Amino acid sequence: GESSISESPLHPRRQSRRIMVGPVPVGGGAPISVQSMTNTKTANVGATLQQIAELTAAGCDIVRVAVPSQEDADALPRIVAKSPIPVIADIHFQSRYVFQAIDAGCAAVRVNPGNIRKFDEVGPSICQAATDAGISLRIGVNAGSLDKELYAKYGGPTPEALVASAMKEARMFEDVGFRDFKISVKHHDPITMVETYRLLAKQGDWPLHLGVTEAGPAWQGTIKSCLAFGALLAEGIGDTIRVSLSAPPVEEVKVGCKILEYLGLRARHFDIISCPSCGRAQVDVIALANEVTNGLSGITAPIRVAVMGCIVNGPGEAREADLGVASGNGKGQIFIKGKVIETVPEDRIVDTLLKHANAIAEQMEADGLVT
Ligand code: SF4
C-alpha cells in the first residue's frame, strides 16, 4: 500500500483491535486504508479487473465487489486471482454466496446480518467458515436497512438505534467466539454519522470502517465525506474509509487519499498551492492551476507547486514551494526553491512548470523521498 503514516498529528488514534483484510492490516494502529467499490457487473470479470486496476493506481488499498447473483459469485475466483489488492465480497440476503466468496479466496466478506435470511441459524457457520479460512468480516448497518424493531423502538435510524443494531450483531459474532470483524454504521447525514461513530467508538475496540452512505454526486458527497471523516479522524476515530459518491469509483479513491494526505495520515503526493486570483492577476490563474494539476496529478513524489497570479504574494508562496510561478506583465517568473530560474511568456508557463516538476520528481525518487 501507499500509506505509511499511522499516527495523526492531530490526535492519538483510538485503540482498536487489529484485523487483516488479506495482507492489509485494519485497526490496532495500522495506517488508515482507503477502500472503494467497483460499479461494473461483477460477473464481467474483464471490466471489473480493469476497474480494480484503475482504483489501485489511484491509491486504493482494498476493493469491494457486489455479489447479487450466482454469476457474480461464480466470477469471484477469477477476480481474486488477478486483483492486485484484497477483494471484499459484498453480500446481502443470500448466505450461500458468503460461503462461495470464502471458498473463492476473498480477503473478507461484508455481510449485513440484518438482511441475511435466517441469520440466527446461519451466523455461527459463517463465523466458522471465516475462521477456517482465516479471513475477516465486516458487519454493521446502513440507516436504510435498520431492523424494524429498533427502528420502532428509537423512532428512526438515530445514532442510538444504529449503535444498538451494530452491537447486537457484534454480540452475535462474539458469542460464538468470532472477533475478526470491523463495523460500519453508515448514515447519509454527516452530523448523524459522526454522532453514531463517536457513540460506537466508546462501546468496544472493534476496528471501524467509516462511511457517509449515499452521500450524493461528487461535489456534495466530497464535502460531506470531508466533514464527517475529518471530524472523526481528527479525534482518532476510524481505521479504514470509503468515500461513497454517485461518480466513477476512482473519484472516491482520489477523495479518500486526499483526505488522509491533508490530515497527515498518509504520505503526501503532489499538491498545488494556487491563489484564487483577483483584480491584480495578470494571467489566467484558474486555467493555469487546472492545467498544472491535471498534468501532475499522477505524480507520486511529494512535490508542491505554487501558481500565483501576481507579484504581491506570488514570490513569497512560490518560494515556500518546491516549484512555482508568479506572474506579471503576461510573463511567468519560474521559481525553484525560492530562486527565479527563468522568465517565460504566458503560453509557455504550463510546459515549463511540468518539465521542471518532472525533473524534481525524478530527483526525489533517486533520493529515496518517494513512498
Ligand atoms: Fe490576487 Fe496576486 Fe493574491 Fe493572486 S497572488 S489573489 S492575483 S493578489
Side-chain angles (χ1 to χ4, degrees):
E2 303 200 10
S3 35
S4 52
I5 303 169
S6 55
E7 266 315 310
S8 166
L10 295 172
H11 197 282
R13 296 267 304 276
R14 164 182 166 263
Q15 300 282 325
S16 57
R17 67 192 190 221
R18 177 170 292 191
I19 63 166
M20 297 301 291
V21 177
V24 178
V26 173
I32 295 170
S33 45
V34 170
Q35 306 201 17
S36 184
M37 191 166 179
T38 51
N39 64 2
T40 51
K41 294 283 177 218
T42 302
N44 186 343
V45 173
T48 303
L49 283 170
Q50 172 62 38
Q51 198 169 60
I52 293 175
E54 270 171 49
L55 298 176
T56 307
C60 189
D61 300 298
I62 298 168
V63 67
R64 189 151 47 101
V65 301
V67 186
S69 77
Q70 188 58 52
E71 281 140 34
D72 299 315
D74 293 342
L76 291 173
R78 281 169 291 155
I79 293 170
V80 168
K82 292 255 172 73
S83 172
I85 51 177
V87 175
I88 302 183
D90 186 270
I91 295 165
H92 292 267
F93 309 119
Q94 298 273 16
S95 60
R96 66 198 159 96
Y97 299 154
V98 175
F99 298 104
Q100 238 191 298
I102 294 173
D103 287 342
C106 287
V109 179
R110 184 270 170 107
V111 287
N112 188 341
N115 66 22
I116 293 276
R117 288 183 199 117
K118 300 194 178 144
F119 189 81
D120 296 348
E121 287 166 34
V122 78
S125 38
I126 289 177
C127 293
Q128 191 57 53
T131 303
D132 293 345
I135 69 154
S136 58
L137 299 174
R138 175 182 138 208
I139 59 169
V141 278
N142 286 8
S145 57
L146 180 65
D147 100 17
K148 284 190 203 80
E149 256 171 61
L150 288 169
Y151 192 102
K153 182 174 170 195
Y154 291 93
T158 62
E160 291 73 17
L162 292 167
V163 168
S165 166
M167 287 179 62
K168 191 173 131 194
E169 291 173 8
R171 239 175 272 123
M172 260 195 285
F173 281 79
E174 286 166 355
D175 282 351
V176 295
F178 188 78
R179 292 169 50 82
D180 291 336
F181 60 88
K182 60 194 163 93
I183 304 184
S184 62
V185 278
K186 295 187 172 185
H187 197 283
H188 63 85
D189 176 69
I191 295 176
T192 313
M193 182 274 197
V194 168
E195 289 176 332
T196 308
Y197 276 96
R198 275 182 182 161
L199 197 58
L200 182 63
K202 288 194 206 119
Q203 311 297 321
D205 70 346
W206 315 285
L208 300 181
H209 166 114
L210 302 187
V212 177
T213 192
E214 293 120 25
W219 189 71
Q220 289 89 337
T222 297
I223 294 171
K224 288 183 202 172
S225 301
C226 290
L227 288 172
F229 295 5
L232 289 167
L233 292 170
E235 291 171 19
I237 297 172
D239 299 291
T240 182
I241 62 171
R242 191 258 171 125
V243 173
S244 86
L245 302 176
S246 305
V250 71
E251 299 303 318
E252 301 183 344
V253 173
K254 286 187 197 164
V255 173
C257 290
K258 282 295 172 198
I259 290 175
L260 296 183
E261 285 181 34
Y262 290 137
L263 282 170
L265 284 161
R266 178 172 280 219
R268 286 229 178 161
H269 287 176
F270 159 71
D271 196 17
I272 186 150
I273 296 156
S274 60
C275 81
S277 84
C278 70
R280 285 186 204 92
Q282 295 180 1
V283 292
D284 184 350
V285 175
I286 298 175
L288 271 185
N290 280 319
E291 284 171 53
V292 170
T293 302
N294 291 337
L296 293 177
S297 58
I299 237 166
T300 51
I303 181 170
R304 271 206 287 179
V305 180
V307 174
M308 308 297 289
C310 78
I311 55 166
V312 173
N313 290 317
E317 283 292 355
R319 256 197 301 279
E320 295 301 310
D322 297 296
L323 170 67
V325 62
S327 304
N329 286 331
K331 293 197 182 100
Q333 286 188 315
I334 308 290
F335 291 78
I336 289 184
K337 298 276 182 209
K339 289 216 174 66
V340 181
I341 54 147
E342 59 180 314
T343 302
V344 298
E346 182 169 358
D347 63 358
R348 288 201 37 231
I349 292 175
V350 173
D351 283 353
T352 308
L353 284 176
L354 296 186
K355 178 188 78 185
H356 289 301
N358 284 310
I360 295 171
E362 263 169 46
Q363 189 57 49
M364 283 176 165
E365 221 151 300
D367 294 345
L369 296 172
V370 180
T371 49

